């Protein structure tokens, strides 16, 4: 939804992955769809562009006084996940 909000060119790419079947969870796993994992295979360049866009969203969600907001925290969480993905490539 974050990428859709900014009309990112990467929205369709990520949306396609999220429409695919999630990775099977371990038998003792407790969690709903929010904890699903998907196999994502995109180029480093594309992943870095997503990181950049999410970083911009996070920065825009901080108040003028520099205080974090719920939206900024949400974008920071997404940014961390994508940054970890880039680092794993």
């Amino acid at each position: 939804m974050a990428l859709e909000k900014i009309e990112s060119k990467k929205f369709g790419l990520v949306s396609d992955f999220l429409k695919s079947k999630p990775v099977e969870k371990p038998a003792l796993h407790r969690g709903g769809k929010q904890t699903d994992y998907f196999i994502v295979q995109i180029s480093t360049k594309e992943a870095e562009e997503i990181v950049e866009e999410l970083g911009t969203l996070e920065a825009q969600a901080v108040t003028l006084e520099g205080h974090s907001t719920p939206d900024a925290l949400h974008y920071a969480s997404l940014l961390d996940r994508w940054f970890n993905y880039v680092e794993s490539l």
Side-chain angles (χ1 to χ4, degrees):
M1 288 187 287
L3 296 176
E4 182 179 32
K5 178 180 180 176
I6 59 170
E7 298 178 6
S8 169
K9 294 178 182 176
K10 303 296 179 248
F11 170 73
L13 180 68
V14 173
S15 179
D16 288 345
F17 289 122
L18 295 175
K19 290 176 186 173
S20 67
K21 183 179 176 185
V23 174
E24 188 174 334
K25 295 177 185 172
L28 298 177
H29 179 78
R30 303 248 188 271
K33 289 186 170 213
Q34 299 87 350
T35 61
D36 284 350
Y37 280 86
F38 298 87
I39 295 178
V40 175
Q41 295 178 334
I42 61 175
S43 71
T44 301
K45 181 178 185 252
E46 290 170 319
E48 288 172 341
E49 289 171 359
I50 291 171
V51 165
E52 192 172 312
E53 291 176 334
L54 293 173
T56 299
L57 278 172
E58 179 190 10
Q60 290 172 345
V62 173
T63 67
L64 293 175
E65 296 81 22
H67 300 287
S68 191
T69 64
D71 283 344
L73 293 173
H74 174 69
Y75 297 137
S77 174
L78 291 173
L79 180 59
D80 286 344
R81 291 182 202 143
W82 277 98
F83 184 72
N84 288 336
Y85 178 74
V86 169
E87 290 294 308
S88 74
L89 297 175

